Amino acid sequence: MNTQFLKPQIAESFSRAAVSYDGVAQLQRDIGHQLLNQLPHSSSEVVMDLGCGTGYFAPLLAEKFKPQQLICLDLAQGMLAYAREHRATPNALWLCGDAENLPLADSSIDLIFSSLAIQWCEDLPSLFSEVARVLKPGGRFLFSTLGPDTLYEIRESWSAVDCFQHVNRFISFSQLQASAEGYLQQVSLRQAPEVLLYDQLRELTAELKGIGAHNISAGRPSGLTGKARMIAFKQAYEQFRRSDGQLPATYQVFYGEYING
Ligand SMILES: C[S@@+](CC[C@H](N)C(=O)[O-])C[C@H]1O[C@@H](n2cnc3c(N)ncnc32)[C@H](O)[C@@H]1O
């Protein structure tokens, strides 16, 4: 089992970020919209948003699939509290739970949508096994997640400074494919890089903090990151500054569609 993530810390970090998340999550919204656009409008009786965060996609899922029940599940109570208050959605049930141990009956869901959440799972085969268990026969699992090249600029810049793990490690395309094997059938799996541009590095680090995704991993440095090390990190990141003067931050995004059949 991959023990790099600690669930209570993930839940706590995202709960704390609930209020700031929507203000800095433009990329997350864009990726979720791309994922949503993969499927045509249709009616699905029971739909789940797995790792729903602030609930941004709940009204869009309700509008697109007209479910009789929309289960919005997340590990972080703080995210759910924010979502309940800000995203009133017909037929929505806001549920605290873990994607790897779903509090749901077998064969009960028609469609699972999950954008940028499953990269936080410790054990992807158990996630896919849970998804297969709760999906009805013929049900679909539509997800986006992040690959190992995500934020490689941060990883490489820190590696010039210390030996700690400053960026979460995400699994490769082939590991992702292998994790689903035996549980679900692949309809499509593709990858697409997204590059965000910043004038200053602090804009990127503030954004990561606002999202709640700043380095929750077992290999992270403990205590404060010293001033001298921060300066060295910033200097190392300058190697990536482009000719147009902008600093890039790369996200390697995987988009998957799987079917239970
Ligand atoms: C980057 S946010 C994405 C939120 C939303 N899907 C979006 O696209 O805006 C990741 C979310 O996944 C949730 N999460 C992380 N691990 C989880 C798990 N094991 N089970 C359920 N939710 C989880 C986090 O609490 C957080 O709200």
Side-chain angles (χ1 to χ4, degrees):
M1 186 180 78
N2 176 357
T3 52
Q4 66 165 319
F5 300 136
L6 309 164
K7 292 209 178 182
Q9 286 186 9
I10 295 173
E12 195 193 316
S13 183
F14 279 109
S15 284
R16 252 189 278 120
V19 177
S20 52
Y21 185 90
D22 281 347
V24 285
Q26 187 57 51
L27 175 71
Q28 287 68 14
R29 282 193 290 277
D30 291 347
I31 290 171
H33 277 286
Q34 286 203 42
L35 187 63
L36 200 56
N37 290 342
Q38 260 184 241
L39 286 187
H41 281 75
S42 64
S43 44
S44 294
E45 223 172 288
V46 185
V47 173
M48 171 158 70
D49 184 353
L50 183 59
C52 63
T54 58
Y56 173 83
F57 288 100
L60 304 175
L61 288 164
E63 161 67 23
K64 186 155 189 171
F65 300 110
K66 309 267 185 291
Q68 282 161 29
Q69 184 157 60
L70 174 63
I71 299 166
C72 299
L73 183 138
D74 203 281
L75 193 64
Q77 282 283 11
M79 281 292 194
L80 289 166
Y82 181 95
R84 252 190 230 108
E85 199 181 323
H86 292 84
R87 300 265 152 63
T89 306
N91 303 331
L93 171 71
W94 305 97
L95 195 61
C96 194
D98 182 355
E100 290 169 75
N101 189 13
L102 290 168
L104 298 166
D106 296 0
S107 306
S108 55
I109 317 264
D110 297 281
L111 170 68
I112 299 178
F113 169 90
S114 180
S115 193
L116 294 179
I118 67 167
Q119 69 273 14
W120 298 104
C121 287
E122 287 173 354
D123 179 9
L124 275 188
S126 69
L127 165 87
F128 280 108
S129 132
E130 275 296 85
V131 165
R133 179 181 69 75
V134 302
L135 276 178
K136 293 179 188 172
R140 279 175 197 265
F141 181 34
L142 198 62
F143 64 83
S144 64
T145 188
L146 297 174
D149 290 346
T150 298
L151 298 176
Y152 76 87
E153 298 93 343
I154 294 186
R155 190 180 316 106
E156 284 185 19
S157 301
W158 271 119
S159 72
V161 179
D162 62 30
C163 300
F164 289 117
Q165 183 190 323
H166 289 269
V167 176
N168 297 329
R169 284 200 201 96
F170 301 115
I171 70 164
S172 68
F173 196 82
S174 55
Q175 283 173 306
L176 185 59
Q177 264 182 324
S179 301
E181 260 169 36
Y183 299 112
L184 295 169
Q185 281 177 29
Q186 183 181 312
V187 177
S188 65
L189 185 63
R190 65 187 171 91
Q191 55 181 317
E194 297 278 353
V195 181
L196 299 187
L197 298 174
Y198 302 87
D199 291 329
Q200 301 296 332
L201 189 56
R202 64 170 176 275
E203 297 163 18
L204 165 62
T205 50
E207 217 168 86
L208 291 174
K209 196 170 176 197
I211 284 161
H214 54 302
N215 191 34
I216 312 159
S217 61
R220 73 198 184 287
S222 55
L224 294 175
T225 302
K227 200 173 169 191
R229 288 167 57 232
M230 273 311 288
I231 290 170
F233 165 64
K234 277 184 192 164
Q235 277 169 355
Y237 208 106
E238 284 301 317
Q239 70 183 293
F240 297 108
R241 200 175 280 281
R242 304 169 0 147
S243 51
D244 61 4
Q246 300 262 278
L247 282 175
T250 302
Y251 286 81
Q252 184 183 21
V253 189
F254 298 151
Y255 295 91
E257 183 181 342
Y258 282 73
I259 191 162
N260 191 23

